[in-house]
Structures are given as C-alpha cells and as structure tokens.
Amino acid sequence: MTKTLIVCCLLGAATSVLGAEANVSNFKPASGADGIVATEGARPWESNSVKPLDLKLLFDYGRNPVTRPGGALVEYRAGMWLSAELHLIEPLTVAVQVPFTLQERGILAMQPAANQGFSTGGGIGDVRVTPRIGILRQERAWLDLAFQASLDLPTSSDNLLTTWDEPSVEGLFALGHRFYVGESDAALLVLGNVFGFTAPDRTIDGKQIGAGYGGRFGTALETGRTDLVPARIFGEIEAKTMPRSTFDDGYTPAEWRGGATWCFGPGVSFDVAAGTGINHAPGAPDWRVVSGLAYGSNSCGFAQDKRLLRERAAEAARAEKNAADEAARLAALRAAEEKAAADKAAADKAAADKAAAERLALQARDSDGDGIPDAEDNCPNVAGTVENHGCPAEQKQQVVITGTTLEILDRVHFATGKAKIEKRSFGLLDQVASVLNSHPEMGKVEVQGHTDDRGKVTTNMTLSQARADAVTRYLVGKGIAPDRLRAKGYGPHQPVDKNETPAGREANRRVQFKVLGSTVND
C-alpha cells in the first residue's frame, strides 16, 4: 500500500501541468539505480538483499543540444531528474521519473514568433513510468537480462523541449555481465541496451521527427571503495534514430560520456560524468555534464554482489563439505556396522565350531574305558556294562540318557490324589540326581507332571504342577542347582495312552524329564 501511495503522489504532482509540442531532448537517465547514467541495468533484484525503494536526484546541462546547419536551435538546456524505483514482487520493479527543465535558451519555430530567441525558466517535463521485470540472473545463466516498457505521459509545461502532446511508449531489453577480478571486490561491468519507441510525428523548424529506435552500451570498472578514491569509473555511448526525420544534418543523434562514482557507505552514491556529441544531429549536444546523488540498495551495491557471490560460493562449499562429511560419516558407520556384523558372524561361527568340536569330543569321550561314551554313560567315571547303561551290574539302573530326555524305567509313585512322593520312588529319583550331577553338559531340565483325564481339568492341572514341584524339590535336596530345573504341570493334555482303561490311565499318570539345553546335542 505504501508503494502504491508513493507512485500515485508522484504521478499526481507530475500531471498537474500539461504541455504540448515535441520532445527533442536526447538524454534520458537510467530508470534503475543499477545502471550507468543513461544505460539501463539488467540485474534482476532479489528480495533478501534489496531494500524496497531506491531514490535518485540527477542534474544535466547540455550545450547546443539541438542544432541545424547554420546554427543552434537550442543554445543550452539545464535539467533535473527525480527518480524513484519501487521493488514490488520479485523480480518486478516500477520506476517513476519526473524531469524538470531549470533553464533553456534557443530559437525554435514552435515558439509564438518564429525564429525569435527565447529563454524559459523552470518547468516540469514528461513523467516517465517504467515497469521492469528481471528474466535471467548471472549466477544461473551467465548473464543478466531484463525487459522494461516505459510510458511517457504528456505532462510537460508549455514551450519546453521535453514533451509530446500525446503519450509515447518505449520498449527496452537490457543485458549485462559482471566479470570479477580474482578474489578481490573489483569487477568489470558490461551493459547493453536495445530499444524502440513510438511517438507522434511532429515538425520542428519545418522538419519532421517521430518514432524510432536505438541502443546504448556502457562499461564500468568497479572497486567498491568507500573513501576518496572513486568506487567506479565508467563510460557509455548511446544513439537513436528516427527514420522519418528529414533534418539536413542527419537523423541519428549520438553521444558518449565518461565519469566516476563515489560511495558514502553501502547505500549512498554520487556520480559525475561528462561527454560530447558524436555528430550534430538534433539531440546530440556539443558537450554535456551530468551529476547525481542516489540512495538505496543498488547504490554502490556492485561490491556487495561480489561479496554475496563469494558468500554463496562459500556457503555452497560448506554445504558440499558438510554433505561429503555426512556421507563419509554414514559410510564409516556402515563400514563399522558391517565390520561388527562380520566380526560377530565370525565369532558366532567360531563359537559354533568350538561347541561342535566340544560336542564331538564329548560324544567320543569314554572316561572309564568301558566302551560306552560318557554322553550315554550313567556312571561315566566307573566301568560298567552296556546292559546296565554304563554302571556296574550290582547297581541296577532305572534311568536311561536318550539325547533330549532322561528316560526313567519305573514310575514316580505318589500318594493317591496327592503330591507326596512315596518312599519306593526315592531310589529312582536318587539315580536321576546322580545322572544329572555326572552330566553337567545336559544343562537345564524340565520336570513334567502329567495326569489322566478323570476329575476336573483345573484340579488335574493343579495336581500335576504340585507333583512336578515335589520332584524338583527332592532333586534340589540331592544337590542339583535350582536354576537347572523347571517344574511344569501339563495335567491331562499330553496323554501317552487311552484313558478308557485302567492301564492306559496309569500310563498317563507319570513324571517325565526333558533336557531343555544340552551342550552335547545343541
């Protein structure tokens, strides 16, 4: 809203006076603060580095700016330009320029009395409104490129040489490239403009002028200095032609200018330039002097571009280094994980190989030399017979080692419906304890309690668990470590015979021993 109000105020002040006649002033300063006197800049702006408003005040003085064979039509002209460039939506800007004629003197047929000398004081000229859009930026496309369309409104005071009595339009393409010098802030800026303009045909001193086209070329050596040394030294040349012109001395006014810029901090600059006409076509002066004061982001911003470029390059390098470091970290992490996995796999394999070798050695070992491997010998340290499972014949065995089970050849007897072990089963359980003590490699053993299906399931589950607990307590009392035993009651759920007969029910009422972890068979 603030930007819109500024534009409206400038236009409202400019259009308060209307003028007529024809604009024979060749000089129009650049609308943007990034240009060189009259050569338009081409660099698209970025919202993160540019303030919303640039202001510029410029003065120019031209000697004999309009001539013809035999003499000058205008002896001199002193003018002033007030410019405001508004940065709207990236990359769009709008510039408003209000020209003023401070003083001019000459002889023109357009005056009330033909060929009569005249001198006028101040007056407003044609206000110029210029929207510009950035198309390309050097960092991404090698060159800067922008297009702008200028509308000149017929707001000039009467009898001034800076107006058409109708609106006129100019379309312009600006190209630019900044060549940086090493790692310093110095750079060589090259700018080029091509433009075409429309204007109604008008006659001055009996001669016709109107629409045309032209171009500008400018270059500047920039240092970014903020002391007494110029921050920029520049030169430019411009020319335009009006094909329907019939001036005897040609129809293509051209001139050149050279000058310097001083910077006072990051946003204030002062320009001085001077030049001469290359020919004597109308609009090309004998000589011209220009000076200006500018404030804004683009004033003396050329050194900032290099610093910004370096910062972006450094940031990109840091990002690239960080990405490389992160990739290296992840690669090292993956390598460490792969090595750890490989080491673990190798360790597991070595442990498995060692365990297998130990199992083989254990399975083959016969400590008492009775021909029965220790893994299957109830009495591994006393020679016995195969029929008595490795124990002497006088020690009748009721327990058989069969890999994952301890098979008992008799039943564990309990009081009917109770978990009390009868004395006649103490010898059997003593042999179980002896075998477990003689074979620590058998690891943990599950003591299983089973019942027949008579009675309630819950009652049978409770009874089977109680009987398994009773056997476990007995074995612990015989020196078996508690952590090697686990009591589990299965009730009637794992029968080994039919429950329809007394013999089948008796077979289902049993205690079994299952080896849960054996270093021999694992």
Side-chain angles (χ1 to χ4, degrees):
M1 179 63 70
T2 301
K3 299 175 182 178
T4 304
L5 289 175
I6 294 173
V7 174
C8 292
C9 290
L10 289 171
L11 289 178
T15 55
S16 60
V17 181
L18 295 180
E21 305 302 345
N23 190 348
V24 292
S25 174
N26 187 50
F27 178 73
K28 287 184 174 63
S31 59
D34 60 339
I36 302 175
V37 187
T39 306
E40 297 283 358
R43 190 163 181 78
W45 71 283
E46 291 184 337
S47 57
N48 61 350
S49 61
V50 175
K51 297 177 181 178
L53 178 65
D54 288 326
L55 298 173
K56 189 168 186 179
L57 178 64
L58 185 142
F59 298 90
D60 75 285
Y61 179 89
R63 188 67 178 179
N64 295 329
V66 182
T67 61
R68 64 175 179 180
L73 295 175
V74 178
E75 295 178 8
Y76 66 84
R77 180 180 180 277
M80 179 179 72
W81 294 78
L82 176 62
S83 300
E85 184 181 23
L86 305 170
H87 302 98
L88 301 177
I89 302 173
E90 184 178 349
L92 175 65
T93 65
V94 173
V96 178
Q97 295 174 290
V98 183
F100 295 88
T101 296
L102 302 178
Q103 188 74 31
E104 64 182 5
R105 178 176 177 80
I107 301 173
L108 279 179
M110 71 175 72
Q111 300 305 312
N115 299 323
Q116 178 180 345
F118 72 92
S119 177
T120 65
I124 194 170
D126 286 351
V127 173
R128 166 171 279 207
V129 180
T130 304
R132 182 173 89 172
I133 184 167
I135 301 174
L136 299 177
R137 194 172 175 91
Q138 176 175 327
E139 289 82 357
R140 294 183 287 270
W142 191 83
L143 57 80
D144 297 326
L145 175 64
F147 173 77
Q148 65 185 48
S150 300
L151 173 64
D152 291 317
L153 302 173
T155 57
S156 178
S157 304
D158 292 339
N159 299 325
L160 298 181
L161 303 179
T162 56
T163 186
W164 301 101
D165 60 358
E166 298 178 17
S168 62
V169 178
E170 176 187 273
L172 180 144
F173 280 98
L175 298 90
H177 185 87
R178 186 172 270 114
F179 298 90
Y180 294 103
V181 181
E183 294 299 320
S184 68
D185 290 334
L188 179 65
L189 173 65
V190 177
L191 292 175
N193 299 165
V194 290
F195 61 88
F197 60 92
T198 64
D201 291 339
R202 289 293 181 265
T203 300
I204 295 180
D205 195 31
K207 308 301 181 181
Q208 185 179 9
I209 62 175
Y213 51 86
R216 302 184 186 98
F217 175 80
T219 184
L221 179 61
E222 304 169 337
T223 64
R225 299 288 293 269
T226 56
D227 49 20
L228 296 179
V229 178
R232 180 168 69 174
I233 300 174
F234 57 81
E236 67 178 356
I237 184 172
E238 65 173 321
K240 69 178 180 181
T241 184
M242 290 173 279
R244 290 193 292 275
S245 172
T246 57
F247 273 85
D248 298 332
D249 198 30
Y251 52 82
T252 305
E255 61 181 292
W256 69 272
R257 285 174 289 273
T261 301
W262 285 263
C263 293
F264 305 96
V268 180
S269 65
F270 176 71
D271 294 329
V272 173
T276 66
I278 297 176
N279 56 20
H280 294 289
D286 289 348
W287 52 269
R288 187 189 304 275
V289 177
V290 179
S291 64
L293 184 67
Y295 169 79
S297 302
N298 281 323
S299 299
C300 289
F302 33 83
Q304 297 175 11
D305 286 339
K306 179 59 182 291
R307 286 192 289 272
L308 182 61
L309 190 66
R310 285 205 304 269
E311 289 172 1
R312 288 179 176 175
E315 183 179 351
R318 285 194 298 271
E320 184 176 355
K321 182 179 183 301
N322 291 339
D325 291 345
E326 181 65 11
R329 187 187 70 83
L330 293 176
L333 182 60
R334 285 194 298 270
E337 291 175 347
E338 291 172 358
K339 183 177 184 302
D343 291 345
K344 184 177 183 304
D348 291 346
K349 184 177 184 304
D353 292 344
K354 180 180 179 182
E358 290 176 350
R359 286 196 299 271
L360 291 175
L362 186 60
Q363 290 171 350
R365 188 169 61 200
D366 182 8
S367 300
D368 55 14
D370 60 4
I372 303 171
D374 289 354
E376 300 174 4
D377 196 333
N378 286 9
C379 303
N381 298 313
V382 179
T385 65
V386 174
E387 293 78 8
N388 201 33
H389 308 289
C391 292
E394 61 273 15
Q395 300 176 8
K396 186 62 178 177
Q397 294 298 300
Q398 296 177 292
V399 179
V400 178
I401 302 174
T402 58
T404 60
T405 63
L406 284 178
E407 183 181 351
I408 55 177
L409 303 180
D410 194 1
R411 294 175 58 245
V412 178
H413 297 277
F414 296 91
T416 304
K418 297 181 179 180
K420 182 180 180 181
I421 304 172
E422 295 183 351
K423 290 183 179 181
R424 56 178 168 163
S425 295
F426 289 172
L428 171 63
L429 294 179
D430 290 344
Q431 283 193 9
V432 172
S434 176
V435 170
L436 289 176
N437 280 322
S438 300
H439 294 274
E441 75 280 356
M442 296 181 70
K444 196 163 190 174
V445 175
E446 183 178 77
V447 181
Q448 301 177 344
H450 301 272
T451 67
D452 58 29
D453 66 350
R454 289 187 301 174
K456 294 182 180 180
V457 174
T458 55
T459 302
N460 286 329
M461 289 294 296
T462 302
L463 180 61
S464 64
Q465 183 65 47
R467 287 177 171 178
D469 290 336
V471 172
T472 300
R473 285 193 298 272
Y474 185 92
L475 295 176
V476 170
K478 294 299 181 178
I480 306 302
D483 58 359
R484 287 190 66 191
L485 301 172
R486 182 175 76 184
K488 178 72 174 178
Y490 289 92
H493 298 303
Q494 294 185 1
V496 293
D497 204 341
K498 295 179 180 180
N499 284 298
E500 284 76 11
T501 64
R505 288 193 292 272
E506 183 178 0
N508 289 334
R509 295 191 298 271
R510 69 196 187 279
V511 171
Q512 289 182 308
F513 300 89
K514 181 179 180 180
V515 179
L516 298 179
S518 172
T519 58
V520 176
N521 297 286
D522 287 353

